[in-house]
Amino acid sequence: MNNNFKISNIKEKFHQFGYKYTGQRQLVLDVLSAHLGSHLSSNDICELLKQKQINIGQSTVYRTLVMLEKMQIVQGTNFEDGFTRYELVNDNEEHTHHHLICTKCGSITDIKSDLLEDLEQYIVDNYDFMIKDHRLKFFGLCKNCKDKE
Amino acid sequence: MNNNFKISNIKEKFHQFGYKYTGQRQLVLDVLSAHLGSHLSSNDICELLKQKQINIGQSTVYRTLVMLEKMQIVQGTNFEDGFTRYELVNDNEEHTHHHLICTKCGSITDIKSDLLEDLEQYIVDNYDFMIKDHRLKFFGLCKNCKDKE
DNA sequence: ATCCGTGCAAAGTATTTGCAACCTA
DNA sequence: TAGGTTGCAAATACTTTGCACGGAT
């Protein structure tokens, strides 16, 4: 099978965790990297592969995504629409980025900047809580839907 | 049945929406108001009622929670642990408050302050997105679990 | 009396698991 | 070759829905 997904040391990372770098796992990574900026559910990934005449088992995709999340290669998020959606983690990001979710058309936009430093400091100071990660979602209307109101 | 849940105009609010203020719906509200600060799943609510020798159908609870959320009396949140948890909305809050989720013991703490004004302004300025609400969760270790590390 | 609400059971849907066959290192 | 991996099907688990009965206005 092709090796379209290019991330340095990705194969090594699998080995570090005692996993094999199989064809199916490459395919899942290929789909994710071919859709940067998208937020794909397990089913999305299967469908996209089917369009390329490739069939791999749903459960394999689920197991692969759980594995990739454990390796911190992908990040799964629940957008309150019924299923977990995944995207590749950007190595440069220290923390998870934020999402703008349009409640009308369902589009999801990433926000790169963090801008939570002040709030995190406030929490550390006032709640004695050790923050490891965060998830921030804004619900509202995207540019297109807003203008059509 | 008793009317333990005291919120002015709650009955009127039901009528405004064309709903009846029934015993079961009162009971769900009673449980929620008796556990302010908790985040109860549909199943939690049924179990708490069973402890008081009260049995109401699971589906009634589900339907009631959906209804209450539509009326903006409760707020449902998915804490990525498999089910939707609900809590009463504080009328004084303009926006949804935030949550600290301990990844070790699972405890959930509310953060009252908003502190997202700057970030929201940044989004409005840069993404042309009309924000209606947000969900912010911090994952990490609570005071207790942090100290036991 | 009418219409909404209730609760049981069945259906639905995303996800997980068991297990025999398969493939990779 | 040995042990992880795959994929089908069955099992889970939360949530939703159909429908007949019951209750509220």
Side-chain angles (χ1 to χ4, degrees), chain B residues 22 24-25 57 59-60 63:
Chain B
T22 67
Q24 284 91 334
R25 289 169 187 175
S59 51
T60 300
R63 280 187 280 230

Side-chain angles (χ1 to χ4, degrees), chain A residues 25-39:
Chain A
R25 290 170 186 175
Q26 281 179 53
L27 284 168
V28 172
L29 285 168
D30 287 346
V31 171
L32 288 165
S33 70
H35 294 83
L36 292 177
S38 295
H39 303 79

Side-chain angles (χ1 to χ4, degrees), chain B residues 59-132:
Chain B
S59 51
T60 300
V61 177
Y62 274 104
R63 280 187 280 230
T64 301
L65 291 168
V66 170
M67 174 183 295
L68 292 173
E69 187 157 40
K70 199 174 292 173
M71 292 192 279
Q72 306 214 51
I73 293 172
V74 303
Q75 176 213 140
T77 311
N78 186 308
F79 292 106
E80 347 257 311
D81 67 347
F83 24 64
T84 307
R85 298 173 170 284
Y86 294 85
E87 62 187 315
L88 286 175
V89 168
N90 184 338
D91 276 336
N92 304 322
E93 287 179 324
E94 193 184 333
H95 275 311
T96 304
H97 57 255
H98 319 313
H99 293 105
L100 299 179
I101 302 157
C102 180
T103 52
K104 197 171 179 187
C105 73
S107 68
I108 300 170
T109 307
D110 287 346
I111 304 178
K112 300 282 180 278
S113 63
D114 199 316
L115 294 178
L116 286 181
E117 292 85 359
D118 290 350
L119 184 47
E120 295 205 351
Q121 193 55 52
Y122 171 84
I123 289 165
V124 170
D125 292 345
N126 292 274
Y127 290 85
D128 201 8
F129 186 91
M130 183 198 288
I131 297 171
K132 289 192 170 173

